[in-house]
C-alpha cells in the first residue's frame, strides 16, 4: 500500500473524551472514529488489525474442529421468550418492532438462535459432537459505553456453541475451546491469565475468563503466588482463616461514638483497627430486609450473597427503610438485639471480642461475641477476597491482586438452553435425550484495544507483528530524489512479492513528520531510505520496540525482514 493513496487520518492532539491509553491511541492513529456513544467507524488500519485478530481466531477455531456459520443480528422476540431471557435480560437488550408489530431484538449473544438451528437440524447422536461459531456484530445497550472499542454498544464478537451427548463429552469440548483460547491469545502476543469466573446472566455451571493484564482493566482478579489458582474477584473463594482468636470473652462495653458512622471514623476514634470491628449492612433481598456482618476492612460481594440467599434482586436498604425497621440510623446498626435474619461472613467465625454498632444513635459496643451475645442464621463466604488472603486451594500460597481486561469467556452451559428450547437428540438406544451445551466468546475489538494497553510508549502504539495493520513501513526521505525513489520502489515490490505486508511512505513530507506517524501507528519494522546512506548502498533498519537503528545493505534488507516475520509468525 502507498501511503499517499491510503487513508490514515492521524491527529497530534490527545482527544479530550478518551480516558484510557488504547482509546486515545486508536483515535490518534486514525484507527477508529466515534459515530455515537459506543458505536464506531473502523477506519482502514483499525479494520486491518481487527481482521488480523479475526483470522487468528478463525484459524484456531477451525483447527479445534469448530465450524463457521453466520447468524442474523436481528432476532425474533419469540426465541428469547422461549428461553425466558426476554424478561430477564434487562435494558442491554435493544428491542424493537417491525412494521407488522412483531417484536425483535438485536442479538447481544446467540444461544437462542444457535439452539434453534440445532434442534431443527440435529437428530441423532451420530451427528454429535458439533461446535458452531460465527464472527459477527453484536449489540448491547451498555449503561456506560466507554474506553472506545473496549466497551462499545456495537462490537464484533466471535461466539461459538458446542453440543454434546452428555456432560462428560461436553467437558471435553470445553477443554478444547480452553486450549484454543490459550493459543489464540498467545498468538495475539498478549500477556494473559485464564481465571475462574462467575457465570452471570448467561447462566450455566462453570466458566473461565481470559484476562489481559493491564492497570486500566475493569476487572479485579487474583492469583495464588504458589499454585495455579486464579479467579475473578467476583468469584474468588475466601478461605476460613482470620485473626487468631482471643481465648477469653471479655464483658460487653457500651461506648460513646458521637457522629462516628463509618468504620474508619469509629476505628480512629476508639483506636481499634478496622479488622477488629464488624460492620452490619442491611440489604433488601427480593423486598425483604436481611443483615450482613462483615469484618470492618472487608467489602461485600453481592454475587456471592445473591447465591447464598437465592434471591433475584439485591440492593442496599434505603436509610429510610433501615430507620423504619430498626429505629436506629445507618452507622450505628449492630447484631445484638437485632430481629432481622443475620448472615455472617465466614471469616468472622474465628473472631472474638469485636466492636459492633449498638443499635443506638452515637453508640458502639466493644467485646461482642457470637452465641453469647447474638446468633446468626449462618456463616457464609460473602466478601471480596483481598491481597494477602490465604489461597483457597493450596496450603502455602497467598493471593495477589491484578487488574485485567476480559477478552474471552468460556462457559459450561449444561442443559439450560437446550431444555428451555426443547433441543433433543436420539441416543444409541433410540431414546430422546437433551443436548449438553457450552458457549465461548471473544471480543475482537476489545482484544485489539487490550493489546494496545499492553504495547505502547510515549510516541504511540507498538504493535506485535501478529496483529499489526502492516508489518513493515518504508519511509522514503525525499521521494523526489530519483535514486531514493527507485530503491524504495524496489524494496517495496520485493517485499510485496514474498507476502510481507508493507506500507510505502511516499508522501512528500519532512522525515520527522513521517517518523512521528510511523511511531504513532506502531508498525513493527521501519526501513528508512535516504540519499546519504544510499551512497554506501545502505538503508536504515529499526524495530518499533527498540531504540536503536542499524544500517543494512540494500540487498539484504528484504531478507532480514522476511526472517523476522518467519520467526514470529511460525
Ligand atoms: P463484561 O463483563 O466486560 O461486560 P461480559 O461478561 O458481558 O463482559 P460475555 O457475554 O462473556 O461478556 O461476552 C464475550 C466477550 O465479548 C467478552 O469476553 C468480551 O471480550 C466481549 N465483550 C462483551 N461486552 C463487550 C462490549 N460492550 N464491548 C466490547 N466487547 C465486549
Ligand atoms: Mg457485559
Amino acid at each position: 500500500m502507498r501511503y499517499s493513496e491510503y487513508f490514515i487520518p492521524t491527529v497530534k492532539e490527545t482527544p479530550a473524551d478518551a480516558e484510557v491509553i488504547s482509546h486515545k491511541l486508536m483515535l490518534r492513529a486514525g484507527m477508529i472514529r466515534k459515530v455515537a456513544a459506543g458505536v464506531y467507524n473502523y477506519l482502514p488500519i483499525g479494520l486491518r488489525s481487527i481482521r488480523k485478530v479475526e483470522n487468528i481466531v478463525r484459524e484456531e477455531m477451525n483447527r479445534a474442529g469448530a465450524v463457521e456459520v453466520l447468524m442474523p443480528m436481528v432476532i425474533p422476540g419469540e426465541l428469547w421468550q422461549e428461553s425466558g431471557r426476554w424478561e430477564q435480560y434487562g435494558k442491554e437488550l435493544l428491542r424493537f418492532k417491525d412494521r407488522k408489530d412483531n417484536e425483535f431484538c438485536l442479538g447481544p449473544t446467540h444461544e437462542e438462535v444457535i439452539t434453534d438451528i440445532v434442534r431443527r437440524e440435529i437428530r441423532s447422536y451420530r451427528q454429535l459432537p458439533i461446535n458452531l461459531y460465527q464472527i459477527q456484530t453484536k449489540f448491547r445497550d451498555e449503561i456506560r459505553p466507554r474506553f472506545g472499542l473496549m466497551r462499545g454498544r456495537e462490537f464484533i464478537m466471535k461466539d461459538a456453541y458446542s453440543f454434546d451427548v452428555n456432560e462428560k463429552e461436553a467437558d471435553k469440548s470445553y477443554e478444547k475451546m480452553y486450549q484454543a483460547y490459550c493459543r489464540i491469545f498467545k498468538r495475539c502476543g498478549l500477556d494473559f491469565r485464564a481465571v475462574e469466573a462467575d457465570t452471570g446472566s448467561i447462566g450455566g455451571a462453570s466458566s473461565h475468563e481470559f484476562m489481559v493484564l493491564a492497570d486500566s482493566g475493569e476487572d479485579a482478579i487474583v492469583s495464588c503466588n504458589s499454585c495455579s489458582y486464579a479467579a475473578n474477584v467476583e468469584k474468588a473463594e475466601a478461605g476460613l482463616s482470620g485473626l487468631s482468636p482471643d481465648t477469653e470473652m471479655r464483658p460487653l462495653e457500651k461506648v460513646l461514638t458521637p457522629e462516628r458512622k463509618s468504620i474508619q471514623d469509629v476505628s480512629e476514634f476508639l483506636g481499634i483497627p478496622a479488622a477488629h470491628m464488624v460492620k452490619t449492612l442491611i440489604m433488601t433481598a427480593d423486598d425483604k430486609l436481611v443483615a450482613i456482618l462483615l469484618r470492618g476492612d472487608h467489602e461485600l460481594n453481592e454475587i456471592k450473597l445473591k447465591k447464598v440467599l437465592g434471591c433475584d434482586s439485591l440492593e442496599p436498604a434505603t436509610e429510610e427503610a433501615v430507620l423504619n425497621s430498626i429505629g436506629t440510623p445507618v452507622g450505628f446498626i449492630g447484631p445484638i438485639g437485632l430481629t432481622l435474619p443475620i448472615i455472617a461472613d465466614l471469616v468472622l467465625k474465628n473472631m472474638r471480642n469485636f466492636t459492633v454498632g449498638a443499635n443506638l444513635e452515637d453508640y458502639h459496643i466493644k467485646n461482642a461475641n457470637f452465641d453469647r451475645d447474638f446468633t446468626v442464621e449462618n456463616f457464609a463466604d460473602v466478601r471480596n477476597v483481598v491481597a494477602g488472603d490465604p489461597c483457597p486451594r493450596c496450603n502455602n500460597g497467598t493471593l495477589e491482586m491484578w487488574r485485567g481486561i476480559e477478552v474471552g469467556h468460556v462457559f459450561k452451559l449444561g442443559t439450560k438452553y437446550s431444555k428451555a428450547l426443547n433441543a433433543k437428540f436420539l441416543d444409541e438406544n433410540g431414546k430422546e435425550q437433551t443436548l449438553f451445551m457450552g458457549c465461548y466468546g471473544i471480543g475482537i475489538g476489545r482484544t485489539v484495544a487490550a493489546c494496545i494497553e499492553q504495547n505502547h510508549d510515549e510516541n504511540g502504539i507498538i504493535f506485535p507483528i501478529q496483529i499489526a495493520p502492516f508489518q513493515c513501513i518504508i519511509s522514503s526521505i525525499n521521494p523526489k530524489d530519483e535514486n531514493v525513489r527507485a530503491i524504495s520502489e524496489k524494496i517495496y515490490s520485493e517485499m510485496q512479492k514474498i507476502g510481507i505486508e508493507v506500507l510505502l511512505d511516499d508522501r512528500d513530507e519532512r522525515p520527522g513528520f513521517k517518523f512521528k506517524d510511523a511511531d504513532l501507528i506502531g508498525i513493527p519494522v521501519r526501513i528508512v531510505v535516504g540519499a546519504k546512506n544510499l551512497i554506501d548502498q545502505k538503508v536504515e533498519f529499526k524495530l518499533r520496540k527498540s531504540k536503536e537503528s542499524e544500517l543494512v545493505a540494500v540487498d539484504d534488507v528484504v531478507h532480514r525482514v522476511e526472517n523476522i516475520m518467519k520467526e514470529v509468525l511460525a
Side-chain angles (χ1 to χ4, degrees), residues 92 140 142 151:
E92 271 188 30
R140 295 182 183 180
E142 301 269 357
R151 184 167 297 284

Side-chain angles (χ1 to χ4, degrees), residues 352-424:
R352 280 207 176 157
N353 302 323
F354 43 86
T355 300
V356 296
N359 291 328
L360 185 62
E361 187 159 4
D362 290 344
Y363 283 93
H364 278 77
I365 290 179
K366 280 163 69 168
N367 302 328
N369 283 282
F370 288 104
D371 297 333
R372 183 191 69 179
D373 304 321
F374 64 96
T375 53
V376 300
E377 300 259 304
N378 63 328
F379 287 93
D381 172 15
V382 292
R383 70 174 174 100
N384 284 335
V385 296
V386 292
D389 271 347
C391 172
R393 290 297 145 77
C394 73
N395 292 324
N396 327 319
T398 52
L399 298 181
E400 293 179 293
M401 283 270 185
W402 311 85
R403 302 297 305 176
I405 300 165
E406 179 202 319
V407 286
H409 204 164
V410 292
F411 290 87
K412 289 181 189 176
L413 287 173
T415 55
K416 179 174 164 157
Y417 295 93
S418 42
K419 261 210 185 107
L421 278 88
N422 203 23
K424 301 208 156 131

Side-chain angles (χ1 to χ4, degrees), residues 201-236:
S201 73
I202 298 215
S206 77
S207 84
H208 285 89
E209 286 165 347
F210 286 76
M211 292 284 185
V212 167
L213 303 181
D215 292 338
S216 60
E218 291 184 284
D219 285 271
I221 58 177
V222 290
S223 64
C224 176
N225 60 9
S226 166
C227 74
S228 64
Y229 181 72
N232 193 312
V233 165
E234 289 180 350
K235 155 100 180 178

